[in-house]
């Protein structure tokens, strides 16, 4: 129970990596706020299930991470946090000249600007406590590029920059800020890309996964949400107290290529 007494907020955590991180933080003893933009009975039921499963205090708070006011209000509403995981993210795939402006704006708002707003709202409480962990979920695409994902890649490179600046401003105050850079993890955001890739490459699902999606992941395997959660728990540990302003790749070797 190394995180007993710590209060965590994980944005965009009613599915995928965010949920995996919330689960591991709760298993390590933190109280956890899970979040998304929806306010469905299933969201609250998910928090209750996680609480029962882990024995931790877990609750769901609705806030739309595309809205600066709601990003800041989320942190205010829960009375601040010791651990902030900026995870909410969306994807859209199109050539730059055909990329819809509203998709660009939404991706920059949710994948990048939300982290600025939640961090700005959370830091004063962390400074007062003399302890804090900000963990930004970037991507292998925060360090490398691929075609047709301009907004996502711009946002993920941006969040790596925000991570470094946050770390420098908070250095020496008991607060660290790092970015986890996952390679492909089989979550809904990736699942949604498979049918298009099958059509584009005229391949079946398994071939597209192996030969297209995992072609840049030398391990040939998806990373898992449990591995993202374990990395986040490590970054919250005393062993990681001097790790700040850096990126941790969990990508099966993608960025070693
Ligand atoms: P996902 O689609 O399962 O999760 C995205 C989460 O963000 C969901 O909980 C969704 O409800 C939430 N969300 C979307 N719009 C929101 C909004 N306006 N306000 C609040 N929440 C919102 O996908 P995932 O793979 O779990 O992605 C999580 C993060 O990990 C994203 O930042 C993504 O870019 C990053 N990532 C994923 C992969 C991968 O292969 N899956 C790889 C690298 C990075």
């Amino acid at each position: 129970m190394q995180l007993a007494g710590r209060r965590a907020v994980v944005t965009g955590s009613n599915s995928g990596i965010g949920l995996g991180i919330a689960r591991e933080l709760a298993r390590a003893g933190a109280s956890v706020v899970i979040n998304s933009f929806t306010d469905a009975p299933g969201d609250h039921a998910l928090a209750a299930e996680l609480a029962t499963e882990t024995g931790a205090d877990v609750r769901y708070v609705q806030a739309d991470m595309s809205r600066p006011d709601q990003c800041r209000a989320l942190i205010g509403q829960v009375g601040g946090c010791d651990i902030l995981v900026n995870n909410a993210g969306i994807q859209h795939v199109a050539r730059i000249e055909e990329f819809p402006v509203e998709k660009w704006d939404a991706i920059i708002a949710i994948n990048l600007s939300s982290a600025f707003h939640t961090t700005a709202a959370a830091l004063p409480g962390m400074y007062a406590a003399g302890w804090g962990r900000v963990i930004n979920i970037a991507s292998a695409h925060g360090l490398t590029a691929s075609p047709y994902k301009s907004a996502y890649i711009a946002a993920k490179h941006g969040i790596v920059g925000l991570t470094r600046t946050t770390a420098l401003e908070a250095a020496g105050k008991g607060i660290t800020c790092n970015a986890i850079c996952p390679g492909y993890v089989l979550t809904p955001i990736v699942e949604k890309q498979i049918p298009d890739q099958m059509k584009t490459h005229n391949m079946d699902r398994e071939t597209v996964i192996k030969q297209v999606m995992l072609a840049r992941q030398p391990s040939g395997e998806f990373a898992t949400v449990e591995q993202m959660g374990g990395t986040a728990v490590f970054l919250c540990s005393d062993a990681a107290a001097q790790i700040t302003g850096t990126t941790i790749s969990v990508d099966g070797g993608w960025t070693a290529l």
Side-chain angles (χ1 to χ4, degrees), residues 14-46:
N14 66 351
S15 93
I17 292 172
L19 181 57
I21 290 175
R23 175 174 279 114
E24 295 307 320
L25 292 174
R27 279 161 50 96
S31 65
V32 181
V33 169
I34 60 172
N35 151 267
S36 185
F37 61 94
T38 50
D39 197 14
D43 294 323
H44 296 275
L46 185 61

Coordinates of all heavy atoms in Angstrom, one line a residue, residues 14-46:
N14 N -12.4 6.3 -18.1 CA -13.4 5.3 -18.0 C -13.2 4.2 -19.0 O -14.1 3.3 -19.3 CB -14.8 5.9 -18.2 CG -15.1 6.5 -19.6 OD1 -14.1 6.6 -20.3 ND2 -16.3 6.9 -19.8
S15 N -12.0 4.2 -19.7 CA -11.6 3.0 -20.5 C -10.1 3.0 -20.7 O -9.4 3.9 -20.3 CB -12.4 3.1 -21.9 OG -11.6 3.8 -22.9
G16 N -9.7 1.9 -21.3 CA -8.3 1.9 -21.8 C -7.2 2.1 -20.8 O -7.2 1.6 -19.7
I17 N -6.2 2.9 -21.2 CA -5.0 3.1 -20.4 C -5.3 3.9 -19.2 O -4.8 3.5 -18.1 CB -3.9 3.9 -21.3 CG1 -3.4 3.0 -22.4 CG2 -2.8 4.4 -20.4 CD1 -2.5 3.7 -23.4
G18 N -6.2 4.9 -19.2 CA -6.6 5.6 -18.0 C -7.2 4.7 -17.0 O -6.8 4.8 -15.8
L19 N -8.0 3.8 -17.4 CA -8.7 2.9 -16.5 C -7.6 1.9 -15.9 O -7.6 1.7 -14.7 CB -9.8 2.1 -17.2 CG -10.5 1.1 -16.4 CD1 -11.2 1.8 -15.1 CD2 -11.6 0.4 -17.2
G20 N -6.7 1.5 -16.7 CA -5.6 0.6 -16.3 C -4.7 1.3 -15.2 O -4.4 0.7 -14.2
I21 N -4.4 2.6 -15.5 CA -3.6 3.3 -14.5 C -4.4 3.6 -13.2 O -3.9 3.4 -12.1 CB -3.2 4.7 -15.1 CG1 -2.1 4.4 -16.2 CG2 -2.6 5.6 -14.1 CD1 -1.7 5.6 -17.0
A22 N -5.7 3.9 -13.4 CA -6.5 4.2 -12.2 C -6.6 2.9 -11.3 O -6.4 2.9 -10.1 CB -7.9 4.6 -12.6
R23 N -6.7 1.7 -12.0 CA -6.8 0.5 -11.2 C -5.5 0.2 -10.4 O -5.5 -0.1 -9.3 CB -7.0 -0.7 -12.2 CG -7.0 -2.1 -11.5 CD -7.4 -3.2 -12.5 NE -8.9 -3.3 -12.6 CZ -9.6 -3.0 -13.7 NH1 -9.0 -2.7 -14.8 NH2 -10.9 -3.1 -13.6
E24 N -4.3 0.4 -11.1 CA -3.0 0.1 -10.4 C -2.8 1.1 -9.3 O -2.2 0.8 -8.3 CB -1.9 0.1 -11.4 CG -1.9 -1.0 -12.5 CD -2.1 -2.4 -11.9 OE1 -1.5 -2.7 -10.9 OE2 -2.9 -3.2 -12.4
L25 N -3.2 2.4 -9.5 CA -3.0 3.4 -8.4 C -3.9 3.0 -7.2 O -3.4 3.1 -6.1 CB -3.3 4.8 -8.9 CG -2.4 5.4 -10.0 CD1 -2.9 6.7 -10.5 CD2 -1.0 5.6 -9.4
A26 N -5.1 2.6 -7.5 CA -6.0 2.2 -6.4 C -5.5 0.9 -5.7 O -5.5 0.8 -4.5 CB -7.4 1.9 -7.0
R27 N -4.9 0.0 -6.5 CA -4.4 -1.3 -5.9 C -3.2 -0.9 -5.0 O -2.9 -1.6 -4.1 CB -3.9 -2.2 -7.0 CG -5.1 -3.1 -7.6 CD -4.8 -3.7 -8.9 NE -3.5 -4.3 -8.9 CZ -3.3 -5.7 -8.8 NH1 -4.4 -6.4 -8.6 NH2 -2.1 -6.2 -8.8
A28 N -2.5 0.2 -5.3 CA -1.3 0.6 -4.5 C -1.8 1.5 -3.3 O -1.0 2.0 -2.6 CB -0.3 1.4 -5.4
G29 N -3.1 1.7 -3.2 CA -3.6 2.3 -2.0 C -4.1 3.7 -2.1 O -4.6 4.3 -1.2
A30 N -3.9 4.3 -3.3 CA -4.3 5.7 -3.5 C -5.8 5.8 -3.6 O -6.5 4.9 -4.1 CB -3.7 6.3 -4.8
S31 N -6.4 6.9 -3.2 CA -7.8 7.2 -3.5 C -7.8 7.8 -4.9 O -6.8 8.6 -5.3 CB -8.4 8.1 -2.5 OG -7.8 9.4 -2.5
V32 N -8.7 7.4 -5.7 CA -8.6 7.7 -7.2 C -10.0 8.4 -7.7 O -11.0 7.8 -7.4 CB -8.3 6.5 -8.0 CG1 -8.2 6.8 -9.5 CG2 -7.0 5.8 -7.5
V33 N -9.8 9.5 -8.4 CA -10.9 10.0 -9.1 C -10.8 9.6 -10.6 O -9.7 9.9 -11.2 CB -10.9 11.6 -9.0 CG1 -12.0 12.2 -10.0 CG2 -11.2 12.0 -7.6
I34 N -11.8 8.9 -11.1 CA -11.8 8.6 -12.5 C -12.7 9.6 -13.2 O -13.6 10.2 -12.6 CB -12.1 7.1 -12.9 CG1 -13.5 6.7 -12.4 CG2 -11.1 6.2 -12.3 CD1 -13.9 5.3 -12.8
N35 N -12.5 9.8 -14.5 CA -13.2 10.9 -15.2 C -13.4 10.6 -16.7 O -12.6 9.8 -17.3 CB -12.2 12.2 -15.1 CG -12.4 13.1 -16.3 OD1 -11.6 13.0 -17.3 ND2 -13.3 14.0 -16.2
S36 N -14.4 11.2 -17.2 CA -14.6 11.3 -18.7 C -15.6 12.5 -18.9 O -16.0 13.1 -17.9 CB -15.0 10.1 -19.4 OG -15.0 10.3 -20.8
F37 N -15.9 12.7 -20.2 CA -16.9 13.8 -20.5 C -18.3 13.3 -20.3 O -19.2 14.1 -20.3 CB -16.6 14.3 -21.9 CG -16.8 13.3 -22.9 CD1 -18.0 13.2 -23.6 CD2 -15.8 12.5 -23.3 CE1 -18.2 12.2 -24.6 CE2 -15.9 11.5 -24.3 CZ -17.1 11.4 -24.9
T38 N -18.6 12.0 -20.2 CA -19.9 11.5 -20.1 C -20.4 11.5 -18.6 O -19.5 11.6 -17.7 CB -20.0 10.1 -20.6 OG1 -19.0 9.3 -20.0 CG2 -19.8 10.0 -22.1
D39 N -21.6 11.3 -18.4 CA -22.1 11.2 -17.0 C -23.2 10.1 -17.0 O -24.4 10.3 -16.7 CB -22.7 12.5 -16.5 CG -22.8 12.5 -15.0 OD1 -22.2 11.6 -14.3 OD2 -23.5 13.4 -14.5
A40 N -22.8 8.9 -17.4 CA -23.7 7.7 -17.5 C -23.7 6.9 -16.2 O -22.7 6.9 -15.5 CB -23.2 6.9 -18.7
P41 N -24.8 6.2 -16.0 CA -24.8 5.3 -14.8 C -23.6 4.4 -14.8 O -23.0 4.1 -13.8 CB -26.1 4.6 -14.9 CG -27.0 5.5 -15.8 CD -26.1 6.2 -16.7
G42 N -23.2 3.9 -16.0 CA -22.1 3.0 -16.1 C -20.8 3.6 -15.6 O -19.9 2.9 -15.1
D43 N -20.6 4.9 -15.8 CA -19.4 5.6 -15.3 C -19.3 5.4 -13.8 O -18.2 5.1 -13.2 CB -19.4 7.0 -15.7 CG -19.3 7.2 -17.2 OD1 -18.6 6.4 -17.9 OD2 -19.9 8.2 -17.7
H44 N -20.4 5.7 -13.1 CA -20.4 5.7 -11.6 C -20.3 4.2 -11.2 O -19.6 3.9 -10.2 CB -21.6 6.4 -11.1 CG -21.6 7.8 -11.4 ND1 -21.0 8.8 -10.7 CD2 -22.2 8.5 -12.5 CE1 -21.1 10.0 -11.2 NE2 -21.8 9.8 -12.3
A45 N -20.9 3.3 -11.9 CA -20.9 1.9 -11.6 C -19.4 1.4 -11.7 O -19.0 0.6 -10.9 CB -21.8 1.1 -12.5
L46 N -18.7 1.9 -12.7 CA -17.3 1.5 -12.9 C -16.5 1.9 -11.7 O -15.6 1.1 -11.2 CB -16.8 2.2 -14.2 CG -15.4 1.8 -14.7 CD1 -15.3 0.3 -15.0 CD2 -15.1 2.7 -15.9

